[in-house]
Amino acid sequence: MGEQWGFYFDADSCMGCNACAIACKNRHDTDAGHVDWRRVETVSEGEFPDYEETNISLSCMHCEDAPCEEVCPTGAIEKRESDGIVTIDQDKCIGCGYCGWACPYGAPQYGDDGLMQKCNLCLDKGPGSGADAPSKNEQQANGEALEPACVDECVGDALDAGPVGELLDKASQEAAERFEQNRTNVIIDSTGENSVTGMQGIRQATEDS
């Protein structure tokens, strides 16, 4: 199995500006409005005066055991062994929506053609792209890897992407431990006093959206 790729997200550095979501839409030319490969949700905790809000930038989590892949009846969704990225082959997709029901994070999106599309960690550009793209590891070795648009345009440097081992090197011990317990390919960090973090924040954001 090749080195697994994923995202790193620092909740304390996210200012909720939505630059990541807009950059993603622009790069992949996704349908305006209802198709969001990446989105920013605001979650809250407590009551005044002990009230706190946290911005959570969400996309596909590229799960270790991807539930969308398990329920796809045509084999259109693949968790790639070469780089750990979950891709969709739109030539096989029938638009049944099972993946959308199975995903707890709201990652699968459906364009005007009814076919599933989602974040592919910028393996390539455009809806349905990435399924036949070379491994992200191979792209990086050849100097051809696209920096994910969300990472490239993040104003607060809250997002990063790369091999999971390298991302863990920059994460706090608490974030690394959360990652080992949940095994998505996204490391959620909080270096300050932010309490609505990790999978707690992700779950709340997806429930509220």
Side-chain angles (χ1 to χ4, degrees), residues 22 31 101 135:
I22 295 169
D31 295 337
W101 298 328
S135 163

Side-chain angles (χ1 to χ4, degrees), residues 37-202:
W37 292 15
R38 180 170 287 279
R39 67 190 191 277
V40 178
E41 303 285 352
T42 300
V43 298
S44 60
E45 184 176 69
E47 297 181 359
F48 181 83
D50 298 316
Y51 177 79
E52 181 178 315
E53 287 189 343
T54 304
N55 299 308
I56 303 287
S57 181
L58 288 166
S59 72
C60 177
M61 304 289 278
H62 301 283
C63 302
E64 185 172 278
D65 297 311
C68 57
E69 181 186 36
E70 293 178 9
V71 302
C72 181
T74 65
I77 301 171
E78 179 188 8
K79 168 74 172 178
R80 294 167 25 135
E81 290 192 3
S82 62
D83 50 22
I85 298 172
V86 178
T87 60
I88 171 72
D89 183 347
Q90 286 194 335
D91 289 337
K92 297 179 180 178
C93 178
I94 57 175
C96 64
Y98 287 0
C99 54
W101 298 328
C103 176
Y105 307 113
Q109 303 287 296
Y110 303 91
D112 291 337
D113 57 6
L115 302 180
M116 197 270 264
Q117 53 181 277
K118 65 169 197 67
C119 164
N120 58 28
L121 242 156
C122 284
L123 279 167
D124 206 344
K125 299 179 182 179
S129 64
D132 297 322
S135 163
K136 200 75 172 175
N137 294 304
E138 181 181 335
Q139 291 182 13
Q140 186 182 51
N142 294 332
E144 300 170 350
L146 279 173
E147 173 97 301
C150 56
V151 175
D152 198 35
E153 297 296 330
C154 180
V155 177
D157 292 329
L159 281 166
D160 199 0
V164 168
E166 294 180 10
L167 297 177
L168 283 171
D169 287 341
K170 68 183 293 182
S172 66
Q173 182 176 348
E174 184 181 0
E177 290 173 354
R178 282 197 300 263
F179 171 78
E180 292 298 332
Q181 292 170 4
N182 291 285
R183 302 307 299 176
T184 65
N185 276 18
V186 179
I187 302 163
I188 303 101
D189 212 339
S190 176
T191 56
E193 298 300 320
N194 219 329
S195 61
V196 189
T197 56
M199 297 309 296
Q200 172 197 356
I202 295 290

Side-chain angles (χ1 to χ4, degrees), residues 10-21:
D10 182 356
D12 291 324
S13 298
C14 178
M15 59 186 72
C17 67
N18 283 281
C20 55

